[in-house]
Amino acid sequence: MMDLDRFTRIDPVTWRIEPHGPMRVPGMIYADADLIRAMDDKVFEQTVNVASLPGIVGACHVMPDAHWGYGFPIGGVAAFDPEKGGVISAGGVGFDISCGVRTILTGLKTEEVLRLQAAIADSLYRQIPAGVGSKGAIALEPGEMDAMLRGGAAWAVAQGWGEPADLERIEEHGRMEGAAPDCVSDRAKERQREEMGTLGSGNHYLEVQAVAEILDRAAAEAFGLREDEVVVTIHCGSRGLGHQIAAEFSKEMVVAAESSSIQLPDRELACAPIESDLGRRYLGAMRAAVNCALANREILTHHARRVFRHFFPGATLPLLYDVSHNTCKVETHKVDGKRRRLFVHRKGATRAFGPGNESLPEAFRAVGQPVLIGGSMGTASYVLAGSGAEARAFSSACHGAGRALSRHAALRQWGGRQVVDELAAQGIVVRSPSSRGVAEEAPGAYKDVTAVVLAAERAGLARRVARLRPLICIKG
């Protein structure tokens, strides 16, 4: 548990860690007192460590769903200036590069889906491979692999997995520039060869959800959300390829940091100067992994649409939005009164651009970017809208509920069958190949997602648009 006396309280949901020791900037945590007390003390330590890295600007920002992670706290946001010796850290992006969330509108009423709930769940489970080492029906040869890593969701659409209109509703229009497949190892590519169109394991899921409550009618209308209609939400990332890239570059960055005279407060914060050869190679590989994740979610969307159109012929199922929460992106932000080109690491944090941002689809510019917040099995999820609080956290918000217990601790408290039965009693159908995986992701292992999004809203990071409740959950 964290001690509040270690912070300077700015307001009820803003807490500052004053620079001390090697810190170059302060740490800022956006959460109410109860959420902070419940955080592992490692969050404080990791925030201090990130704030000590070369070239960091503004502050190390931490979201209300934060918990201990690899190097960076999960929920950590930090921006680095290449002109000031800024670095890029594989640990600051994470192992599941471009893990993210997309939500698909169906236009179907909840009662229509509930009448076929079990059949839809069974069909989704058959069509969408899930679990550790899950493999799909797609096997990419080397040339196809490189084309996918360059093209992302745009490549998937060109192959017939997805729809052209989707690309307007995806970050980077479905394809991140600067991807360099030649910077991705053969081992990483081989791990991904048969994993396209798969969910994977851990906290990844596909959920069929009902819009339970509209909280901001103007934004909900712009997003196409209507009370008592059903949406489909997919949460996954770059699978084995992203993990392999992170592992390989983390090892290389430890050695490079020593040769660059970078004093690492923690080996897990291994990094390299942005303008170095290693920094550029990692960026090229990371961007390729982003494209892999975007392509993967596009293929999963294709499978989900096929299932729904089997049961509901003529359903259109347009994409609401797709946004990642494990990335490093080049963005321009105002710091100390000046616009600066920065490399913004978001690990377990979501980009949350506000109204008027020109990079957003025209339909969203008046209300802000959709921010898709996953809860846990059996709890609410939320759709938020970015508020444009650039000074708060480089226009970032939370990404989910955030773990309250480790997976080992969850296994000591719950069994998979127990969780499935309890959720069935609440009207939620779960399908998973792993009883252990279900137990590890038990709802009680996570923070209260409503408390998290309320803290984000009170801190001015984003505002609530709609609350969703789960009907069907496909888990890895």
Side-chain angles (χ1 to χ4, degrees):
M1 291 185 65
M2 288 224 275
D3 182 359
L4 297 182
D5 291 339
R6 304 175 76 182
F7 299 88
T8 299
R9 178 175 171 173
I10 308 300
D11 60 46
V13 288
T14 308
W15 307 75
R16 176 183 167 102
I17 303 172
E18 300 296 343
H20 62 275
M23 291 176 70
R24 302 168 189 262
V25 296
M28 303 294 295
I29 299 186
Y30 306 100
D32 63 33
D34 288 340
L35 285 169
I36 290 186
R37 287 192 192 96
M39 291 178 188
D40 190 293
D41 200 52
K42 274 279 192 179
V43 173
F44 184 98
E45 178 184 328
Q46 292 188 320
T47 302
V48 169
N49 289 343
V50 173
S52 305
L53 291 175
I56 188 169
V57 300
C60 173
H61 301 276
V62 179
M63 299 295 109
D65 54 335
H67 57 97
W68 173 84
Y70 183 92
F72 273 54
I74 299 195
V77 177
F80 297 84
D81 188 338
E83 296 184 4
K84 303 294 183 181
V87 296
I88 187 161
S89 170
V93 172
F95 279 79
D96 193 1
I97 298 169
S98 194
C99 184
V101 184
R102 67 164 48 195
T103 295
I104 306 153
L105 306 172
T106 71
L108 300 168
K109 292 293 185 182
T110 304
E111 62 181 22
E112 295 180 85
V113 172
L114 286 177
R115 283 198 294 268
L116 299 166
Q117 186 180 23
I120 293 171
D122 290 340
S123 186
L124 287 168
Y125 183 59
R126 286 193 299 268
Q127 293 293 321
I128 295 176
V132 177
S134 52
K135 297 184 183 302
I138 301 166
L140 298 182
E141 297 304 321
E144 296 171 311
M145 174 68 69
D146 286 356
M148 180 273 290
L149 295 176
R150 289 192 186 93
W155 167 86
V157 169
Q159 301 300 311
W161 297 305
E163 300 171 359
D166 295 341
L167 302 178
E168 175 68 13
R169 298 295 185 95
I170 305 173
E171 277 186 300
E172 314 296 333
H173 298 286
R175 176 181 179 272
M176 193 168 193
E177 297 284 351
D182 57 329
C183 294
V184 178
S185 71
D186 290 342
R187 172 60 180 147
K189 293 176 182 178
E190 180 58 32
R191 288 187 64 178
Q192 193 64 27
R193 183 173 179 270
E194 296 181 349
E195 289 192 345
M196 298 305 296
T198 66
L199 269 180
S201 58
N203 63 349
H204 294 169
Y205 60 79
L206 180 150
E207 278 196 357
V208 179
Q209 303 161 325
V211 179
E213 184 180 12
I214 297 296
L215 300 157
D216 182 322
R217 297 211 170 271
E221 184 176 350
F223 294 171
L225 294 167
R226 296 177 181 85
E227 198 163 336
D228 201 36
E229 287 192 352
V230 168
V231 300
V232 179
T233 295
I234 298 169
H235 174 213
C236 68
S238 51
R239 303 287 282 112
L241 179 134
H243 192 283
Q244 190 68 29
I245 289 170
E248 292 171 353
F249 277 94
S250 290
K251 291 178 181 177
E252 194 172 351
M253 285 177 176
V254 169
V255 177
E258 294 175 357
S259 63
S260 299
S261 300
I262 296 173
Q263 300 298 313
L264 293 178
D266 179 352
R267 284 174 63 88
E268 292 182 357
L269 284 176
C271 56
I274 293 166
E275 300 292 2
S276 67
D277 174 70
L278 176 55
R280 286 188 285 269
R281 284 192 290 111
Y282 172 73
L283 280 167
M286 182 211 71
R287 289 164 177 162
V290 170
N291 285 336
C292 176
L294 296 178
N296 193 37
R297 291 198 288 275
E298 189 68 20
I299 295 169
L300 289 168
T301 298
H302 172 77
H303 293 329
R305 282 173 170 151
R306 186 168 58 185
V307 168
F308 270 84
R309 286 169 179 160
H310 170 76
F311 291 100
F312 305 100
T316 56
L317 296 115
L319 181 63
L320 167 56
Y321 202 60
D322 181 306
V323 62
S324 299
H325 48 239
N326 280 2
T327 61
C328 177
K329 293 192 174 184
V330 182
E331 297 172 3
T332 301
H333 291 278
K334 184 179 288 188
V335 180
D336 298 328
K338 296 181 179 179
R339 305 297 291 178
R340 293 165 69 173
R341 177 176 171 270
L342 304 174
F343 286 70
V344 183
H345 294 62
R346 294 186 180 94
K347 180 177 181 179
T350 310
R351 192 193 73 177
F353 287 162
N357 191 290
E358 293 185 357
S359 70
L360 297 178
E362 181 64 34
F364 303 150
R365 286 185 196 166
V367 296
Q369 177 204 305
V371 179
L372 309 173
I373 306 297
S376 59
M377 292 184 299
T379 71
S381 293
Y382 282 87
V383 178
L384 313 181
S387 65
E390 185 178 46
R392 279 275 164 161
F394 300 104
S395 297
S396 306
C398 49
H399 84 306
R403 291 198 76 93
L405 296 175
S406 70
R407 288 184 167 86
H408 290 300
L411 286 172
R412 289 194 293 269
Q413 292 197 33
W414 296 282
R417 173 47 56 185
Q418 171 195 359
V419 173
V420 170
D421 289 345
E422 289 176 353
L423 293 176
Q426 299 172 37
I428 303 165
V429 174
V430 177
R431 297 287 185 267
S432 174
S434 170
S435 179
R436 177 190 177 97
V438 170
E440 289 176 345
E441 298 300 312
Y446 283 82
K447 298 179 175 70
D448 179 350
V449 68
T450 298
V452 168
V453 298
L454 280 170
E457 186 171 64
R458 293 172 65 195
L461 304 176
R463 65 188 188 282
R464 293 174 301 154
V465 175
R467 176 173 61 85
L468 313 176
R469 66 179 178 89
L471 307 175
I472 297 169
C473 185
I474 310 299
K475 290 288 294 181

Coordinates of all heavy atoms in Angstrom, one line a residue, residues 353-417:
F353 N -7.0 12.4 -27.3 CA -7.1 13.7 -27.9 C -8.5 14.3 -27.7 O -9.5 13.6 -27.8 CB -6.7 13.6 -29.4 CG -5.3 13.4 -29.7 CD1 -4.9 12.9 -30.9 CD2 -4.3 13.6 -28.7 CE1 -3.6 12.7 -31.2 CE2 -3.0 13.4 -29.0 CZ -2.6 12.9 -30.3
G354 N -8.5 15.6 -27.5 CA -9.7 16.3 -27.2 C -10.4 16.9 -28.4 O -9.9 16.7 -29.6
P355 N -11.5 17.6 -28.3 CA -12.2 18.2 -29.4 C -11.3 19.1 -30.2 O -10.4 19.8 -29.7 CB -13.3 19.0 -28.7 CG -13.5 18.3 -27.4 CD -12.2 17.8 -27.0
G356 N -11.5 19.1 -31.5 CA -10.8 20.0 -32.4 C -9.5 19.4 -32.9 O -8.9 20.0 -33.8
N357 N -9.0 18.2 -32.4 CA -7.8 17.7 -32.9 C -7.9 17.2 -34.4 O -8.8 16.4 -34.7 CB -7.3 16.5 -32.0 CG -5.9 16.1 -32.3 OD1 -5.6 15.5 -33.3 ND2 -5.0 16.4 -31.4
E358 N -7.1 17.7 -35.2 CA -7.2 17.5 -36.7 C -6.9 16.0 -37.1 O -7.2 15.6 -38.2 CB -6.3 18.4 -37.4 CG -6.8 19.9 -37.3 CD -5.9 20.8 -38.2 OE1 -5.0 20.3 -38.9 OE2 -6.2 22.0 -38.3
S359 N -6.2 15.3 -36.2 CA -5.9 13.9 -36.5 C -7.1 13.0 -36.3 O -7.1 11.8 -36.8 CB -4.8 13.4 -35.7 OG -5.1 13.2 -34.3
L360 N -8.2 13.5 -35.7 CA -9.4 12.6 -35.4 C -10.3 12.6 -36.6 O -10.3 13.5 -37.4 CB -10.2 13.2 -34.2 CG -9.4 13.2 -32.9 CD1 -10.3 13.8 -31.8 CD2 -9.0 11.8 -32.5
P361 N -11.0 11.5 -36.8 CA -12.1 11.5 -37.9 C -13.0 12.6 -37.7 O -13.3 13.1 -36.6 CB -12.8 10.1 -37.6 CG -11.8 9.3 -36.9 CD -11.0 10.2 -36.1
E362 N -13.5 13.1 -38.8 CA -14.4 14.3 -38.8 C -15.6 14.1 -37.9 O -16.0 15.0 -37.2 CB -14.9 14.6 -40.2 CG -15.8 15.8 -40.4 CD -15.1 17.1 -40.0 OE1 -13.8 17.2 -40.3 OE2 -15.7 18.0 -39.5
A363 N -16.1 12.9 -37.8 CA -17.3 12.6 -37.0 C -17.0 12.9 -35.5 O -18.0 13.1 -34.7 CB -17.8 11.2 -37.2
F364 N -15.8 12.8 -35.1 CA -15.4 12.9 -33.6 C -14.8 14.3 -33.2 O -14.6 14.5 -32.1 CB -14.4 11.8 -33.2 CG -14.9 10.4 -33.5 CD1 -13.9 9.5 -33.8 CD2 -16.2 10.1 -33.6 CE1 -14.3 8.2 -34.1 CE2 -16.6 8.8 -33.8 CZ -15.6 7.8 -34.1
R365 N -14.5 15.1 -34.2 CA -13.8 16.3 -33.9 C -14.5 17.3 -32.9 O -13.9 18.0 -32.1 CB -13.3 17.1 -35.1 CG -12.2 16.3 -35.8 CD -11.7 17.1 -37.0 NE -10.9 16.2 -37.9 CZ -10.5 16.5 -39.1 NH1 -10.9 17.6 -39.7 NH2 -9.8 15.6 -39.8
A366 N -15.8 17.3 -33.0 CA -16.5 18.2 -32.1 C -16.6 17.7 -30.6 O -16.8 18.5 -29.7 CB -17.9 18.4 -32.6
V367 N -16.4 16.4 -30.4 CA -16.6 15.8 -29.1 C -15.3 15.2 -28.5 O -15.3 15.0 -27.3 CB -17.7 14.8 -29.1 CG1 -19.1 15.4 -29.5 CG2 -17.4 13.6 -30.0
G368 N -14.3 14.9 -29.3 CA -13.1 14.3 -28.8 C -13.0 12.9 -29.2 O -14.0 12.2 -29.6
Q369 N -11.8 12.3 -29.0 CA -11.5 11.0 -29.4 C -12.2 9.9 -28.5 O -12.2 10.1 -27.3 CB -10.0 10.8 -29.3 CG -9.5 9.3 -29.6 CD -8.2 9.0 -29.0 OE1 -7.2 9.8 -29.2 NE2 -8.1 8.0 -28.2
P370 N -12.7 8.9 -29.1 CA -13.2 7.8 -28.3 C -12.1 7.1 -27.5 O -11.0 6.9 -28.0 CB -13.8 6.8 -29.3 CG -14.1 7.6 -30.5 CD -13.0 8.6 -30.5
V371 N -12.3 6.9 -26.2 CA -11.3 6.2 -25.3 C -12.0 5.0 -24.8 O -13.0 5.1 -24.1 CB -10.8 7.1 -24.2 CG1 -9.9 6.4 -23.3 CG2 -10.2 8.4 -24.8
L372 N -11.5 3.8 -25.1 CA -12.2 2.5 -24.9 C -11.6 1.9 -23.6 O -10.4 1.5 -23.7 CB -12.2 1.6 -26.1 CG -12.6 2.3 -27.4 CD1 -12.3 1.4 -28.6 CD2 -14.0 2.7 -27.3
I373 N -12.4 1.7 -22.6 CA -11.9 1.3 -21.3 C -12.5 -0.1 -20.9 O -13.7 -0.2 -20.7 CB -12.2 2.3 -20.2 CG1 -11.7 3.7 -20.5 CG2 -11.7 1.8 -18.8 CD1 -10.2 3.8 -20.7
G374 N -11.7 -1.1 -20.9 CA -12.2 -2.4 -20.6 C -12.2 -2.6 -19.0 O -11.4 -2.1 -18.3
G375 N -13.3 -3.3 -18.6 CA -13.4 -3.6 -17.2 C -12.8 -5.0 -17.0 O -11.7 -5.3 -17.4
S376 N -13.5 -5.9 -16.3 CA -13.1 -7.3 -16.2 C -14.3 -8.1 -16.3 O -15.5 -7.6 -16.4 CB -12.5 -7.5 -14.8 OG -13.4 -7.2 -13.8
M377 N -14.2 -9.4 -16.5 CA -15.4 -10.3 -16.7 C -16.4 -10.0 -15.6 O -16.0 -10.0 -14.4 CB -14.9 -11.7 -16.6 CG -14.1 -12.2 -17.8 SD -13.8 -14.0 -17.7 CE -12.8 -14.1 -16.2
G378 N -17.6 -9.7 -15.9 CA -18.6 -9.5 -14.9 C -18.8 -8.1 -14.5 O -19.7 -7.8 -13.7
T379 N -17.9 -7.2 -15.0 CA -18.1 -5.8 -14.5 C -18.3 -4.9 -15.7 O -18.2 -5.4 -16.9 CB -16.8 -5.3 -13.8 OG1 -15.7 -5.2 -14.8 CG2 -16.4 -6.3 -12.7
A380 N -18.5 -3.7 -15.5 CA -18.8 -2.7 -16.6 C -17.5 -2.4 -17.3 O -16.4 -2.6 -16.9 CB -19.3 -1.4 -16.0
S381 N -17.7 -2.0 -18.6 CA -16.7 -1.3 -19.4 C -17.2 0.0 -19.7 O -18.4 0.3 -19.5 CB -16.3 -2.1 -20.6 OG -15.7 -3.4 -20.3
Y382 N -16.3 0.9 -20.2 CA -16.8 2.3 -20.5 C -16.2 2.8 -21.8 O -15.1 2.4 -22.3 CB -16.3 3.3 -19.4 CG -17.1 3.2 -18.1 CD1 -16.8 2.3 -17.1 CD2 -18.2 4.1 -17.9 CE1 -17.5 2.2 -15.9 CE2 -18.9 4.0 -16.7 CZ -18.6 3.1 -15.7 OH -19.3 3.0 -14.6
V383 N -17.0 3.6 -22.4 CA -16.5 4.5 -23.5 C -16.4 5.9 -23.0 O -17.4 6.4 -22.4 CB -17.4 4.4 -24.7 CG1 -16.9 5.3 -25.8 CG2 -17.6 3.0 -25.3
L384 N -15.2 6.5 -23.1 CA -15.0 7.8 -22.7 C -14.7 8.7 -23.9 O -14.5 8.2 -25.0 CB -13.8 7.9 -21.7 CG -13.7 6.9 -20.6 CD1 -12.4 7.2 -19.8 CD2 -14.9 7.0 -19.7
A385 N -14.6 10.0 -23.7 CA -14.2 10.9 -24.8 C -13.0 11.7 -24.3 O -13.0 12.2 -23.1 CB -15.3 11.8 -25.2
G386 N -12.0 11.9 -25.1 CA -10.8 12.7 -24.7 C -11.2 14.1 -24.4 O -12.0 14.7 -25.1
S387 N -10.6 14.7 -23.4 CA -10.9 16.0 -23.0 C -10.0 17.1 -23.5 O -10.2 18.3 -23.5 CB -11.0 16.1 -21.5 OG -9.7 15.9 -20.9
G388 N -8.8 16.6 -24.1 CA -7.8 17.5 -24.6 C -7.0 18.1 -23.5 O -6.4 19.2 -23.7
A389 N -6.9 17.5 -22.3 CA -6.1 18.0 -21.2 C -4.6 17.8 -21.5 O -4.0 16.9 -20.8 CB -6.5 17.4 -19.9
E390 N -4.1 18.5 -22.5 CA -2.7 18.2 -22.9 C -1.7 18.4 -21.8 O -0.8 17.6 -21.6 CB -2.4 19.1 -24.1 CG -1.0 18.9 -24.7 CD -0.8 19.8 -25.9 OE1 -1.0 21.0 -25.8 OE2 -0.3 19.3 -26.9
A391 N -1.9 19.4 -21.0 CA -0.9 19.7 -19.9 C -1.0 18.7 -18.8 O 0.0 18.5 -18.1 CB -1.2 21.1 -19.4
R392 N -2.1 18.0 -18.7 CA -2.2 17.0 -17.6 C -1.4 15.7 -17.9 O -0.7 15.3 -17.0 CB -3.7 16.6 -17.5 CG -4.5 17.6 -16.7 CD -4.4 17.2 -15.3 NE -4.9 18.3 -14.4 CZ -5.2 18.2 -13.1 NH1 -5.2 17.0 -12.6 NH2 -5.6 19.2 -12.4
A393 N -1.4 15.2 -19.0 CA -0.7 13.9 -19.3 C -0.4 13.7 -20.7 O -0.6 12.6 -21.2 CB -1.4 12.8 -18.6
F394 N -0.1 14.8 -21.4 CA 0.2 14.7 -22.9 C -1.0 14.0 -23.6 O -0.9 13.1 -24.4 CB 1.4 13.9 -23.2 CG 2.7 14.5 -22.6 CD1 3.3 14.0 -21.5 CD2 3.2 15.7 -23.1 CE1 4.4 14.5 -20.9 CE2 4.3 16.3 -22.6 CZ 4.9 15.7 -21.4
S395 N -2.2 14.5 -23.2 CA -3.5 14.0 -23.7 C -3.6 12.5 -23.6 O -3.8 11.8 -24.6 CB -3.6 14.4 -25.2 OG -3.7 15.8 -25.3
S396 N -3.5 12.0 -22.4 CA -3.6 10.5 -22.1 C -4.7 10.3 -21.1 O -5.0 11.1 -20.3 CB -2.3 10.0 -21.7 OG -1.2 10.3 -22.6
A397 N -5.2 9.0 -21.1 CA -6.1 8.6 -20.1 C -5.8 7.2 -19.7 O -4.9 6.5 -20.2 CB -7.5 8.8 -20.6
C398 N -6.6 6.6 -18.8 CA -6.4 5.2 -18.3 C -6.8 4.3 -19.4 O -7.2 4.7 -20.5 CB -7.3 5.0 -17.1 SG -9.0 5.5 -17.3
H399 N -6.5 3.0 -19.2 CA -6.8 2.0 -20.2 C -7.7 0.8 -19.8 O -8.2 0.0 -20.6 CB -5.5 1.4 -20.8 CG -4.9 0.2 -20.0 ND1 -4.7 0.3 -18.6 CD2 -4.5 -1.0 -20.4 CE1 -4.1 -0.8 -18.2 NE2 -4.0 -1.6 -19.3
G400 N -8.0 0.7 -18.5 CA -8.8 -0.4 -18.0 C -9.0 -0.2 -16.5 O -8.8 0.8 -15.9
A401 N -9.4 -1.3 -15.9 CA -9.6 -1.3 -14.4 C -8.3 -1.4 -13.7 O -8.1 -0.7 -12.7 CB -10.5 -2.5 -14.0
G402 N -7.3 -2.1 -14.2 CA -6.0 -2.3 -13.6 C -6.1 -3.4 -12.5 O -7.0 -3.5 -11.7
R403 N -5.1 -4.2 -12.5 CA -5.1 -5.3 -11.5 C -4.9 -4.8 -10.1 O -4.2 -3.9 -9.8 CB -3.9 -6.3 -11.8 CG -4.1 -7.0 -13.1 CD -3.2 -8.3 -13.2 NE -3.7 -9.3 -12.3 CZ -4.5 -10.3 -12.8 NH1 -4.8 -10.3 -14.1 NH2 -4.9 -11.2 -12.0
A404 N -5.7 -5.5 -9.2 CA -5.6 -5.3 -7.8 C -4.9 -6.4 -7.1 O -4.2 -6.3 -6.1 CB -7.0 -5.2 -7.2
L405 N -4.9 -7.6 -7.8 CA -4.2 -8.8 -7.3 C -3.4 -9.4 -8.4 O -3.8 -9.4 -9.6 CB -5.2 -9.9 -6.8 CG -6.1 -9.5 -5.6 CD1 -7.1 -10.6 -5.3 CD2 -5.2 -9.3 -4.3
S406 N -2.3 -10.0 -8.1 CA -1.5 -10.7 -9.1 C -2.2 -11.9 -9.5 O -3.2 -12.4 -8.9 CB -0.1 -11.1 -8.5 OG -0.3 -12.2 -7.5
R407 N -1.8 -12.5 -10.6 CA -2.4 -13.7 -11.1 C -2.3 -14.9 -10.1 O -3.2 -15.7 -10.0 CB -1.8 -14.1 -12.5 CG -2.3 -13.1 -13.6 CD -1.8 -13.5 -15.0 NE -2.5 -12.8 -16.0 CZ -2.2 -11.6 -16.4 NH1 -1.1 -11.0 -15.9 NH2 -2.9 -10.9 -17.3
H408 N -1.1 -15.0 -9.5 CA -0.9 -16.0 -8.5 C -1.9 -15.8 -7.3 O -2.5 -16.8 -6.8 CB 0.5 -16.0 -8.0 CG 1.5 -16.5 -9.0 ND1 1.5 -17.8 -9.5 CD2 2.6 -15.9 -9.6 CE1 2.5 -17.9 -10.4 NE2 3.1 -16.8 -10.5
A409 N -2.1 -14.6 -6.9 CA -3.0 -14.3 -5.8 C -4.4 -14.7 -6.2 O -5.2 -15.2 -5.4 CB -2.9 -12.9 -5.3
A410 N -4.8 -14.4 -7.4 CA -6.1 -14.7 -7.9 C -6.3 -16.2 -7.9 O -7.4 -16.6 -7.5 CB -6.3 -14.1 -9.3
L411 N -5.3 -17.0 -8.3 CA -5.5 -18.4 -8.3 C -5.7 -19.0 -6.9 O -6.3 -20.0 -6.8 CB -4.3 -19.1 -9.0 CG -4.2 -18.9 -10.5 CD1 -2.8 -19.4 -11.0 CD2 -5.3 -19.7 -11.2
R412 N -5.2 -18.3 -5.9 CA -5.3 -18.8 -4.5 C -6.8 -18.5 -4.0 O -7.2 -19.2 -3.1 CB -4.3 -18.1 -3.6 CG -2.9 -18.6 -3.8 CD -2.0 -18.2 -2.7 NE -1.8 -16.7 -2.6 CZ -0.8 -16.1 -3.2 NH1 0.1 -16.7 -3.9 NH2 -0.7 -14.8 -3.1
Q413 N -7.5 -17.6 -4.7 CA -8.8 -17.2 -4.2 C -10.0 -17.8 -5.0 O -11.1 -18.0 -4.5 CB -9.0 -15.7 -4.2 CG -8.1 -15.0 -3.1 CD -8.6 -13.6 -2.8 OE1 -9.8 -13.3 -2.9 NE2 -7.6 -12.7 -2.5
W414 N -9.7 -18.0 -6.3 CA -10.8 -18.5 -7.2 C -10.4 -19.7 -8.0 O -9.2 -19.9 -8.4 CB -11.2 -17.3 -8.1 CG -11.8 -16.1 -7.4 CD1 -13.1 -16.0 -6.9 CD2 -11.1 -14.9 -7.1 NE1 -13.2 -14.8 -6.3 CE2 -12.1 -14.1 -6.5 CE3 -9.9 -14.4 -7.4 CZ2 -11.7 -12.8 -6.0 CZ3 -9.5 -13.1 -7.0 CH2 -10.5 -12.3 -6.3
G415 N -11.4 -20.4 -8.4 CA -11.2 -21.5 -9.4 C -12.0 -21.1 -10.7 O -13.0 -20.3 -10.6
G416 N -11.5 -21.6 -11.8 CA -12.1 -21.2 -13.1 C -13.6 -21.5 -13.2 O -14.4 -20.7 -13.6
R417 N -13.9 -22.8 -12.8 CA -15.3 -23.2 -12.9 C -16.2 -22.3 -12.0 O -17.3 -22.0 -12.3 CB -15.4 -24.7 -12.5 CG -16.8 -25.2 -12.4 CD -17.8 -24.8 -13.5 NE -17.2 -25.2 -14.8 CZ -17.8 -24.9 -16.0 NH1 -18.9 -24.1 -15.9 NH2 -17.3 -25.3 -17.1

